[in-house]
Amino acid sequence: MLNRRHIRIKVMQSLYAFKGHEGDDLAKDEKFLMHSLDSMFDLYLSILALLTELHKKSKDYNSKLQKKLLGSDADREPNTKFQDNILLNIISNNNMLQDIITKRKLNFWDLDFEYVDILFKEIKNSKLYETYTNSLEDGLKTDKKFIIDIYTQIIAPNDKLYDYFEDKKLTWVDDFPVVNTVLLKVLSKLKLTSAETKLLPNLYKDEDDKAFAKDLFKKTILNNSKFEEEISKKTTNWDTERLASLDGLLLKMALCEFQKFPSIPYKVTINEYLEIAKEYSTPKSSLFINGILDKVVKEYQSNNIHLKSGRGLI
C-alpha cells in the first residue's frame, strides 16, 4: 500500500514535529511515526465504510419508495441496479473487512450521516447514475467501472468530504491522494475469486519498508549534529533561515540515506527529495537541495567514501 516516497514524507512530518534531542529516548517519537503511517490504513478503511453506507442508503431509499402510500408505478418497482451493484455487495458483505472497520471504530458515518446523504443525492442526480441505471449491461466489469467513476468524479472531489477528513485527522489531508490511488488500484483489480482478501492490502510491501521508516527516522535524529555541520560547510552563501526550514530537514534525511543506507542509489535519494521539496517546500527549494546534494555526492565519490553497493547502484 505504501511506497518509499510515502514513507519518506511521513518520516519528514514526524521529524518536523520532533522536539527532543539526539540523546533522548526516541521510543515515544518512533511510536508517533508508526501511528501516523498506520493512520493511512484507517483512512482507506474509512472510505470503504463510506461506500458501505452509500450502499445501505440506496437500499433504504428504494424501500421508502416502495412504501409510499401515493407512490407511482415507478416508485413501487424502483430501479435497484445501484443496490444490486456487485462491487458494492462485495464490500458490504466482506465479513473480514467489516469486522476490522468495527474493531477500529471507523464506521463513523452512521453518526455523520449528513455526508452520506449529500453524496448519495449528488450521485443519484448525476449523468453517471442515469446512464448506469438505464444501461442493459451488467456484470462485475460494468459495476466496477461505475463505482470507480462516481468515486473519482463525485466522491473524492467533494469539498465537504475533504474538509470532514481534515477535521477528523489532520494528517489525512496529505494521505488522501495516496489512499485514493491505492483504493482505485485495488478496486480495478478486484476479482470475485479473491475479493475477500484483496480488499485488505498490506500497509507495507514488506518488512524492509517498515524497518526503513524506523531507521530513517532514528538515524536522522541520532546524527543530526553531524549532518548539520556537513551541510553548513556546503551552504556558506545561503540564507540560514533556509537551512532552519524544511529544506534543511530534507537535506539531513538525504545525507542519512547517503551514509547509512548503502543499498539505495544516490540518484534515487536525490530524485525522491527533489519531488518532496516541490510538493511541500518553496518554489526554489528543489534547486537549492539539488545543488547541495550534487556537491556532496561528488565529494564522496572523489574521496571514495560512503560508496553504494549492489547491482546497478552508483
Side-chain angles (χ1 to χ4, degrees):
M1 183 171 177
L2 292 172
N3 62 37
R4 286 288 177 101
R5 183 174 301 171
H6 307 151
I7 292 172
R8 287 180 173 96
I9 290 170
K10 285 295 185 182
V11 171
M12 174 196 73
Q13 292 169 339
S14 296
L15 287 170
Y16 194 77
F18 179 70
K19 302 301 181 184
H21 303 280
E22 291 180 15
D24 291 349
D25 182 4
L26 303 181
K28 183 179 178 181
D29 296 282
E30 183 184 309
K31 186 177 180 180
F32 172 82
L33 167 65
M34 302 316 291
H35 177 74
S36 179
L37 286 161
D38 195 49
S39 72
M40 293 186 74
F41 193 54
D42 284 347
L43 177 58
Y44 173 83
L45 293 172
S46 299
I47 295 172
L48 289 178
L50 174 60
L51 292 176
T52 302
E53 291 304 314
L54 286 168
H55 187 213
K56 289 179 184 177
K57 181 71 178 179
S58 70
K59 294 179 181 179
D60 293 342
Y61 176 80
N62 288 335
S63 178
K64 287 176 182 177
L65 282 180
Q66 291 173 318
K67 292 177 181 177
K68 285 174 65 174
L69 293 175
L70 300 176
S72 63
D73 290 341
D75 291 336
R76 283 188 285 273
E77 293 185 15
N79 189 315
T80 62
K81 196 163 185 178
F82 187 77
Q83 77 173 58
D84 295 336
N85 183 281
I86 297 171
L87 180 56
L88 287 181
N89 275 283
I90 288 173
I91 294 170
S92 298
N93 297 325
N94 188 320
N95 292 328
M96 188 186 303
L97 169 66
Q98 298 303 330
D99 285 347
I100 292 176
I101 289 172
T102 301
K103 287 176 182 176
R104 295 173 82 128
K105 300 179 180 179
L106 296 170
N107 193 5
F108 32 69
W109 304 107
D110 52 347
L111 295 175
D112 299 320
F113 59 86
E114 64 269 26
Y115 295 94
V116 178
D117 293 344
I118 289 168
L119 289 170
F120 182 74
K121 185 177 180 180
E122 193 172 342
I123 291 168
K124 190 175 175 299
N125 292 334
S126 69
K127 187 68 177 178
L128 286 171
Y129 183 88
E130 181 184 353
T131 302
Y132 171 69
T133 53
N134 290 331
S135 173
L136 297 178
E137 294 183 15
D138 55 18
L140 180 58
K141 183 178 179 180
T142 300
D143 288 357
K144 280 200 299 185
K145 183 180 184 307
F146 172 66
I147 298 303
I148 289 171
D149 285 346
I150 63 168
Y151 187 79
T152 55
Q153 297 180 43
I154 297 174
I155 299 174
N158 187 277
D159 290 336
K160 288 185 173 62
L161 182 64
Y162 185 87
D163 292 341
Y164 174 78
F165 281 138
E166 184 177 20
D167 290 340
K168 202 75 178 173
K169 188 168 292 188
L170 187 59
T171 57
W172 279 358
V173 175
D174 290 320
D175 298 342
F176 199 39
V178 175
V179 172
N180 284 341
T181 301
V182 172
L183 177 70
L184 294 174
K185 185 177 180 180
V186 169
L187 295 184
S188 64
K189 291 186 175 182
L190 205 65
K191 296 179 181 179
L192 289 173
T193 53
S194 59
E196 182 76 14
T197 55
K198 293 297 182 181
L199 269 173
L200 293 167
N202 293 323
L203 181 61
Y204 301 96
K205 183 179 68 177
D206 50 41
E207 285 300 312
D208 287 345
D209 278 359
K210 188 174 183 179
F212 171 72
K214 293 180 179 180
D215 288 345
L216 181 59
F217 178 75
K218 289 190 292 186
K219 290 177 180 180
T220 301
I221 291 175
L222 294 174
N223 294 277
N224 179 69
S225 299
K226 175 187 172 185
F227 295 150
E228 204 166 74
E229 183 179 350
E230 186 171 350
I231 292 167
S232 66
K233 292 177 182 178
K234 305 286 188 304
T235 55
T236 53
N237 296 324
W238 287 92
D239 190 337
T240 54
E241 287 187 8
R242 180 173 289 280
L243 295 177
S245 70
L246 194 59
D247 295 351
L249 177 55
L250 293 176
L251 283 171
K252 290 174 187 175
M253 291 174 67
L255 288 188
C256 185
E257 288 192 29
F258 285 172
Q259 298 181 20
K260 308 298 180 182
F261 296 85
S263 65
I264 301 177
Y266 290 131
K267 279 188 176 179
V268 170
T269 294
I270 293 172
N271 289 338
E272 286 290 280
Y273 288 107
L274 290 183
E275 291 303 313
I276 293 172
K278 288 175 185 176
E279 186 173 353
Y280 288 90
S281 200
T282 69
K284 293 183 179 180
S285 294
S286 59
L287 180 65
F288 166 70
I289 290 172
N290 187 50
I292 302 304
L293 295 182
D294 185 57
K295 283 183 184 179
V296 171
V297 170
K298 287 178 179 177
E299 182 181 290
Y300 289 173
Q301 291 175 330
S302 64
N303 293 326
N304 210 33
I305 59 173
H306 304 306
L307 300 180
K308 299 296 181 173
S309 60
R311 182 182 299 175
L313 303 183
I314 62 169

